[in-house]
């Protein structure tokens, strides 16, 4: 029975798809199953190559270990479910001496070497692919060994692609119970323009600058404590923010002191001196103009579809060879700011119309590509609201009515601002996507227990959520609950795997792009991006990773050794290419007053770009295949 299941796996898995039914049956009949515990060697370099088998990895992770002459061990690749282990040792005459070790408990099928060789002699297509694979792997391994000592390029400190954490200075801290005289003394001694006021848990409570010192001196008071004079609501930026977002406030508000925050704690500060080496640019006004729009009509001019300054900014970023997924993050950050400003304006309207301020705490969340920081110029709305529990309150019906009206305003204004309403109804104004904390937990449990085809897509959308306005602690509680439930549910992961396989890569088995469409267009969102995003998401769920961005998820998978660094870089490079082609297409469409889309015409690309697209699709195809094998393990183990 187990070998019937192996045949079931192999018959849909390239390059075994090139075998005849008889050859496939012969290969599986001669196979045996084996398991290796975590940290056990699948084979060791000291073994005689005659005793080393060829393995098809069904479940778990393994890595190769190259033993260098200087005694240092080096790992140059990981093996994932669906990989064939042992080919290079078999065919490279002992030139590569390395071991393969299980990183997790592994299940493999040992493929009979003699029959494997015989089948290669009888099947030219299969043999050709195997030899090409060995050649590519061998060359790649030697190249990586040669370049292993090369360190990462130093970050180019340039306005258009610099993050604030590369520019910040060390913060000077002061506690709130100290006196303003002590604060003035510190400012003078350290020759700084501001101090961070922090509590005992090192969380930022406010700031003290020369402005607060002058107020203290000029306005006599019975209190001289920092707590009573500090600025409790300073403008601040997150450590991963782009420099232009902070610099716009220094330029337009004459701010001399901006805290840099990570997880609520100040890890650095920015001053005008921080930006001395950066260019002055009209792009600096992007963030400032959005956050200072006082009406919807004014805000409409900031939409990414009509804001020519943003479009020029994106074009320049692309031309300066920034990573395209970081350029997509710039667009997403701009859209986040528009969302936040619309929410503020909607709150003001609710007050003006007599509804008052929000009656309870809430958190506005976004989903999909915006949550992952992966937007292009073509995007619709995917959002929702998490409300603090209110069923026990006597005015709960009034609360329902308030947030129904409030979210209708938000979704309407977002639609006016260039974010079309979601055709699937994934919007905060819909009761399904506007729930209290307890209701969301019940909904997640229902998704886990009773998923159908529609619900799995809703779950997939919701899993990639990110808070952008309101009480973030509500979102953090839901994220922890959701991550824990999803990590433990193997059934859910199986269903997510099936959903991830809905979109196929249009590739010929020998690696040639197979475009059947008459117009030769390819939708890079459905063909390429989706496969990488879905595969990465499923592995993030498996390992309990809470990051939402695909790039950050990949980095976390590398960090916990669930993906080899080289495979992570390949995936990120593929993401870069796919985002790049979409951005270039969108910019051309906007310049020619055409509707933006995710489709690109392959034959309008240069030969070099077609090669890049092909490489990106091959990475996406492999990731999808690995996902299929990895999450089919319950069928064969």
């Amino acid at each position: 029975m187990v070998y019937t299941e192996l045949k079931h796996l192999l018959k849909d898995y390239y390059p075994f798809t090139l075998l005849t039914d008889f050859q496939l049956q012969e290969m599986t009949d001669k196979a045996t199953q084996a398991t290796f515990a975590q940290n056990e060697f699948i084979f060791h370099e000291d073994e005689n190559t005659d005793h080393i088998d060829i393995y098809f990895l069904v479940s778990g992770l393994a890595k190769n270990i190259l033993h260098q002459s200087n005694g240092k061990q080096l790992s140059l690749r990981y093996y994932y479910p669906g990989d064939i282990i042992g080919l290079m040792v078999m065919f490279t005459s002992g030139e590569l001496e390395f071991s393969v070790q299980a990183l997790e408990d592994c299940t493999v099928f040992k493929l009979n070497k003699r029959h494997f060789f015989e089948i290669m002699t009888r099947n030219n297509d299969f043999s050709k692919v195997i030899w090409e694979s060995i050649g590519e792997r061998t060359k790649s391994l030697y190249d990586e060994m040669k370049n292993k000592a090369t360190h990462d390029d130093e970050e180019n400190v340039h306005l258009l692609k610099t993050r604030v954490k590369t520019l910040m200075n060390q913060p000077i801290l002061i506690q709130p119970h100290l006196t303003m005289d002590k604060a003035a003394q510190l400012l003078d001694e350290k020759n700084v323009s501001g101090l961070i006021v922090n509590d005992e848990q090192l969380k930022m409570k406010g700031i003290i600058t020369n402005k607060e010192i002058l107020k203290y001196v000029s306005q006599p008071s019975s209190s001289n404590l920092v707590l009573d004079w500090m600025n409790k609501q300073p403008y601040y930026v997150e450590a991963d923010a782009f420099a232009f977002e902070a610099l716009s406030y220094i330029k337009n508000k004459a701010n001399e002191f901006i805290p840099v925050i990570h997880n609520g704690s100040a890890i650095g500060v920015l001053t005008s001196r921080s930006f001395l080496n950066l260019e002055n640019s009209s792009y600096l006004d992007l963030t400032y103009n959005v956050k200072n729009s006082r009406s919807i009509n004014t805000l409409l001019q900031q939409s990414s579809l009509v804001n020519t300054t943003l479009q020029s900014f994106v074009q320049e970023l692309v031309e300066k060879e920034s990573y395209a997924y970081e350029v997509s993050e710039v667009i997403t950050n701009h859209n986040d700011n528009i969302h936040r400003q619309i929410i503020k304006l909607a709150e003001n309207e609710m007050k003006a119309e007599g509804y008052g301020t929000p009656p309870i705490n809430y958190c506005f969340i976004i989903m999909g590509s915006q949550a992952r920081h992966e937007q292009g110029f073509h995007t619709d709305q995917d959002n929702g609201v998490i409300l603090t529990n209110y069923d026990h309150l006597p005015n709960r019906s009034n609360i329902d009515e308030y947030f129904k009206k409030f979210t209708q305003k938000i979704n309407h204004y977002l639609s006016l601002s260039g974010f079309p309403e979601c055709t699937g109804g994934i919007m905060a104004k819909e009761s399904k996507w506007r729930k209290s904390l307890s209701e969301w937990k019940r909904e997640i449990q229902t998704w886990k227990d009773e998923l159908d085809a529609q619900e799995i897509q809703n779950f997939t959308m919701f899993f990639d959520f990110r808070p952008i306005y309101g009480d973030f602690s509500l979102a953090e509680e839901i994220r922890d609950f959701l991550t824990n439930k999803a990590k433990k549910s193997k059934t859910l992961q199986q269903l997510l795997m099936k959903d991830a396989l809905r979109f196929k890569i249009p590739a010929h088995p020998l690696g040639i792009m197979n475009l059947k469409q008459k117009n030769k267009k390819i939708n890079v969102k459905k063909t390429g991006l989706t496969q990488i995003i879905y595969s990465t998401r499923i592995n993030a769920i498996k390992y309990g990773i809470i990051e939402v961005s695909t790039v950050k998820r990949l980095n976390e998978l590398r960090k916990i050794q669930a993906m080899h660094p080289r495979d992570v870089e390949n995936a990120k490079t593929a993401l870069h290419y796919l985002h790049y082609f979409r951005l270039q297409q969108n910019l051309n469409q906007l310049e020619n007053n055409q509707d933006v889309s995710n489709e690109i015409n392959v034959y309008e690309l240069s030969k070099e770009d077609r090669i890049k697209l092909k490489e990106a699709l091959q990475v996406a195809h492999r990731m999808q295949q690995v996902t299929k094998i990895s999450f089919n393990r319950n069928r064969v183990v």
Side-chain angles (χ1 to χ4, degrees), residues 171-327:
I172 305 299
L173 307 176
I174 189 170
Q175 294 188 323
H177 65 269
L178 296 178
T179 66
M180 289 294 284
D181 292 333
K182 178 62 176 177
Q185 182 183 348
L186 267 176
L187 286 172
D188 182 50
E189 286 179 357
K190 302 294 184 180
N191 191 28
V192 293
S193 55
L195 307 172
I196 300 292
V197 184
N198 66 294
D199 60 18
E200 292 179 354
Q201 286 73 43
L202 301 181
K203 298 296 183 182
M204 186 180 76
K205 309 303 292 183
I207 64 172
I208 292 289
T209 66
N210 291 325
K211 185 176 180 181
E212 284 69 47
I213 297 293
L214 287 174
K215 283 185 180 179
Y216 166 68
V217 173
S218 61
Q219 300 174 14
S221 168
S222 57
S223 173
N224 67 345
L225 297 180
V226 165
L227 174 67
D228 296 319
W229 291 95
M230 67 184 182
N231 178 355
K232 297 179 181 179
Q233 293 183 315
Y235 174 73
Y236 64 87
V237 292
E238 295 289 339
D240 278 336
F242 289 96
F244 75 89
E245 297 181 61
L247 187 50
S248 65
Y249 265 73
I250 286 182
K251 174 187 173 185
N252 292 290
K253 284 283 190 180
N255 282 25
E256 281 295 320
F257 186 79
I258 298 178
V260 179
I261 302 298
H262 179 65
N263 292 334
S265 299
I267 62 170
V269 295
L270 297 169
T271 68
S272 56
R273 291 182 182 179
S274 306
F275 300 95
L276 287 178
N277 295 326
L278 299 181
E279 303 170 7
N280 189 15
S281 168
S282 60
Y283 303 143
L284 300 182
D285 294 330
L286 284 170
T287 301
Y288 182 82
N289 288 342
V290 170
K291 293 187 175 183
N292 285 274
S293 294
R294 297 292 177 254
S295 71
I296 291 297
N297 288 335
T298 305
L299 198 56
L300 294 182
Q301 305 309 310
Q302 306 306 320
S303 165
S304 60
L305 293 175
V306 299
N307 190 328
T308 54
T309 302
L310 175 67
Q311 293 165 19
S312 298
F313 186 21
V314 170
Q315 183 70 63
E316 188 164 349
L317 283 170
V318 170
E319 289 175 355
K320 288 180 179 291
E321 299 183 352
S322 299
Y323 288 118
Y325 49 76
E326 291 191 345
V327 182

Side-chain angles (χ1 to χ4, degrees), residues 291-414:
K291 293 187 175 183
N292 285 274
S293 294
R294 297 292 177 254
S295 71
I296 291 297
N297 288 335
T298 305
L299 198 56
L300 294 182
Q301 305 309 310
Q302 306 306 320
S303 165
S304 60
L305 293 175
V306 299
N307 190 328
T308 54
T309 302
L310 175 67
Q311 293 165 19
S312 298
F313 186 21
V314 170
Q315 183 70 63
E316 188 164 349
L317 283 170
V318 170
E319 289 175 355
K320 288 180 179 291
E321 299 183 352
S322 299
Y323 288 118
Y325 49 76
E326 291 191 345
V327 182
S328 294
E329 186 177 346
V330 169
I331 297 173
T332 303
N333 288 347
H334 182 77
N335 291 337
D336 284 356
N337 287 332
I338 291 176
H339 277 61
R340 293 186 186 102
Q341 197 63 18
I342 283 175
I343 295 169
K344 292 177 185 177
L345 294 175
E347 275 193 2
N348 292 339
E349 273 196 17
M350 293 292 284
K351 293 178 194 173
E353 293 171 4
Y355 292 96
T357 57
I360 57 173
N361 268 3
Y362 72 94
C363 184
F364 194 89
I365 61 173
I366 40 91
M367 293 169 263
S369 60
Q370 185 176 0
R372 295 190 303 270
H373 284 104
E374 295 167 1
Q375 286 186 303
F377 288 96
H378 180 264
T379 183
D380 59 5
Q381 292 186 51
D382 295 305
N383 49 59
V385 166
I386 304 171
L387 304 167
T388 192
N389 291 327
Y390 65 96
D391 281 351
H392 60 289
L393 299 177
N395 63 332
R396 56 183 176 273
S397 60
N398 292 335
I399 293 172
D400 280 332
E401 188 59 31
Y402 179 94
F403 282 101
K404 180 180 179 181
K405 180 76 174 175
F406 179 44
T407 51
Q408 284 174 345
K409 284 181 180 290
I410 294 171
N411 289 140
H412 175 63
Y413 290 145
L414 284 171

Side-chain angles (χ1 to χ4, degrees), residues 34-135:
T35 58
F36 296 90
Q38 183 180 13
N39 296 328
E40 186 178 358
F41 283 102
I42 295 175
F43 64 77
H44 196 277
E45 68 161 352
D46 292 337
E47 295 181 53
N48 188 312
T49 55
D50 293 337
H51 299 152
I52 296 176
D53 292 293
I54 296 174
Y55 304 90
F56 180 82
L57 182 60
V58 179
S59 67
L61 290 175
K63 68 176 179 179
N64 65 16
I65 300 173
L66 185 67
H67 303 274
Q68 297 177 295
S69 58
N70 63 4
K72 184 179 180 181
Q73 291 185 355
L74 191 65
S75 175
L76 296 176
R77 71 160 295 178
Y78 286 6
Y79 297 95
Y80 306 97
D83 277 342
I84 304 173
I85 302 173
L87 283 177
M88 286 186 291
V89 177
M90 295 294 102
F91 295 100
T92 51
S93 304
E95 293 174 19
L96 284 177
E97 296 181 355
F98 61 84
S99 308
V100 174
Q101 183 181 30
L103 286 173
E104 302 175 346
D105 291 348
C106 291
T107 298
V108 301
F109 283 104
K110 294 183 180 181
L111 304 178
N112 185 283
K113 284 187 292 188
R114 184 172 65 83
H115 281 90
F116 195 92
F117 296 159
E118 286 180 4
I119 289 172
M120 285 182 64
T121 62
R122 287 184 268 138
N123 189 316
N124 289 333
D125 288 341
F126 182 71
S127 179
K128 179 181 178 183
V129 172
I130 294 298
W131 282 115
E132 286 179 351
S133 172
I134 292 168

Side-chain angles (χ1 to χ4, degrees), residues 524-570:
V524 293
K525 180 177 180 180
K526 293 182 178 178
T527 307
L529 286 173
T530 291
Q531 289 76 18
I532 297 174
I533 291 165
Y534 276 43
S535 298
T536 306
R537 180 197 295 124
I538 293 175
N539 279 288
I541 289 172
K542 173 185 172 184
Y543 291 102
I545 292 169
I546 63 173
E547 295 289 357
V548 176
S549 154
T550 302
V551 169
K552 288 184 178 180
R553 283 172 172 168
L554 287 167
N555 289 337
E556 285 299 310
L557 289 168
R558 175 182 60 196
K559 201 176 292 183
I560 63 173
Q561 294 194 338
M563 282 186 76
H564 193 278
R566 184 176 59 183
D567 296 316
V568 168
E569 290 308 311
N570 286 342

